[in-house]
Amino acid sequence: MNMELKEYLDYLVEWLREEVKKSNQKGLVVGISGGIDSAVVAALAKRAFPNDYITVWMPCKSSELDEKCKAELINDLDLKNVTVDLSQTFEVISKSLNDSGIEQSKLALANTKARLRMSILYSMAQTHNYLVLGTDNADEWHIGYFTKFGDGGVDLLPIVHLLKREVREAAKILGVPESIINRAPTASLWEDQTDESEIGFSYDLIDDYISGKPVADEVKQRVDHLHKISEHKRNGAPMPKNIR
């Protein structure tokens, strides 16, 4: 067992408790997808607030594998969970957008899913006086692989400093099912979508580059490019000079 990582996870649990207390809130809410990042964050949320957390499953044309992995996670970790089915809601929104006379792009509609889910999480959070947890890891945050005001619109980012390989190790420590640990990373944006096919190379290469290990020039250039063009996602909206 990686004791240094285990100690860091213990720190994250305490950090979550402190942040909730500072915000004068009661607990935490996290959306689960059947993927490893949300599974790790859900496990941390339960450890931090055993009586004041909730996980939310928000199917939206989700795959059978998503459903299966989600069910195993809830069962194995005995998670408190509610389901908000967004399939019909998403269809209505998509139709309304396309009926405007402007056919929406595949990626735009996929990002609409993420923003719809975040709206649900904030409604749940406000109802319970909870904070919304983000699930972005260090790789995703660095290259901007998240939806602005979607899965990037959160209150706290507990695993933002963990490389993808460290998330996998954390999942083992926290008891996340093997089926989730071993599946290909996916944002489930559309059928058969995988993160690494969309990014262009593996998370292992991003891990290596971020941690200072040598990588091929094309990897370095691609990661640097993605980091540069996604800077706006990591910062607040630019403001002009104050008139006063």
Side-chain angles (χ1 to χ4, degrees), residues 137-226:
N137 58 55
D139 296 29
E140 292 169 335
W141 189 254
H142 186 81
I143 65 173
Y145 193 69
F146 56 89
T147 299
K148 193 172 186 177
F149 304 123
D151 53 318
V154 297
D155 295 316
L156 302 173
L157 288 163
I159 63 170
V160 73
H161 296 306
L162 293 183
L163 300 172
K164 191 68 173 184
R165 63 173 62 110
E166 292 171 329
V167 174
R168 287 192 286 267
E169 286 301 310
K172 294 174 184 177
I173 293 171
L174 295 167
V176 171
E178 288 290 328
S179 59
I180 293 177
I181 295 173
N182 296 328
R183 73 177 294 196
T186 176
S188 297
L189 296 177
W190 50 77
E191 188 175 357
D192 298 326
Q193 181 265 346
T194 64
D195 295 355
E196 293 179 349
S197 64
E198 204 178 354
I199 295 168
F201 41 78
S202 71
Y203 274 116
D204 281 339
L205 288 175
I206 305 174
D207 281 355
D208 287 346
Y209 181 48
I210 292 177
S211 59
K213 295 180 180 179
V215 296
D217 284 344
E218 56 265 31
V219 173
K220 178 184 183 303
Q221 291 170 7
R222 173 72 170 156
V223 172
D224 286 348
H225 172 70
L226 292 174

Side-chain angles (χ1 to χ4, degrees), residues 226-238:
L226 292 174
H227 180 71
K228 182 179 179 180
I229 65 173
S230 63
E231 191 63 37
H232 67 98
K233 292 185 176 183
R234 292 179 291 273
N235 297 324

